[in-house]
Amino acid sequence: TVPSLEGLDYSALLEKIKQGPPSDGSSSATTTTTTPQKILVIAADQPSTVTLPLSYECHNRSIPLLVVRSYGLLGYARIQTATPYHCITEAKKSNRIPDLRLSAWPLFEGLKNVASTVSNLDEMDDTKDHSHVPFVIVLLQALDKWR
């Protein structure tokens, strides 16, 4: 069984990890590095009683945290970074409403030809034929009636 991570002192654990990588004792030569260690904490399928204190301690030490949870074929990944990292607030506007008005620009010839081949929709008896008419054609005929 896997031991529970609840109640673990994350502060001491993260400080120990930041001091240097754990050694297995097999290497006789001691290596000292002057480059700072890059640390990423990954929490997979942990309850909120584990991720909340871990998130707090990682944020205080400016250590990025990746929380991953999966539910069969579905899941999510959350990334938490601290102050030395930049955040992307809005790369592209995703709420731009496209202009779908048919009267906003002149219709192209192909659409005019297709719209003229469809007979009056009110006279169609078969629902199968009626359901195969593209909605743009229905809108164009309603626009012509309205004009």
Side-chain angles (χ1 to χ4, degrees):
T1 62
V2 177
S4 175
L5 295 176
E6 294 179 17
L8 185 67
D9 184 15
Y10 297 111
S11 176
L13 177 66
L14 292 174
E15 280 302 316
K16 187 176 179 183
I17 292 173
K18 278 184 94 173
Q19 288 175 1
S23 62
D24 58 359
S26 63
S27 174
S28 60
T30 59
T31 59
T32 58
T33 59
T34 59
T35 59
Q37 297 292 324
K38 298 203 186 251
I39 300 171
L40 170 67
V41 177
I42 301 173
D45 290 326
Q46 296 297 321
S48 62
T49 56
V50 171
T51 56
L52 287 177
L54 181 62
S55 170
Y56 177 77
E57 294 298 332
C58 286
H59 182 73
N60 285 343
R61 286 167 178 72
S62 299
I63 298 173
L65 171 66
L66 176 64
V67 178
V68 181
R69 169 125 335 165
S70 66
Y71 307 101
L73 295 175
L74 300 176
Y76 67 84
R78 293 181 179 171
I79 300 172
Q80 169 187 307
T81 59
T83 52
Y85 303 97
H86 69 283
C87 63
I88 300 172
T89 54
E90 188 174 340
K92 295 180 183 177
K93 286 192 172 189
S94 60
N95 58 353
R96 185 175 158 236
I97 300 171
D99 186 11
L100 299 176
R101 293 176 290 177
L102 292 174
S103 61
W105 58 82
L107 296 176
F108 53 93
E109 291 300 317
L111 184 58
K112 284 183 185 177
N113 294 339
V114 170
S116 65
T117 60
V118 176
S119 64
N120 192 356
L121 294 173
D122 296 332
E123 296 173 1
M124 286 187 182
D125 293 329
D126 190 12
T127 57
K128 184 178 178 183
D129 290 338
H130 199 277
S131 67
H132 284 89
V133 175
F135 191 64
V136 159
I137 306 300
V138 175
L139 288 176
L140 283 174
Q141 287 193 1
L143 181 65
D144 288 339
K145 261 188 199 178
W146 182 76
R147 285 184 181 167

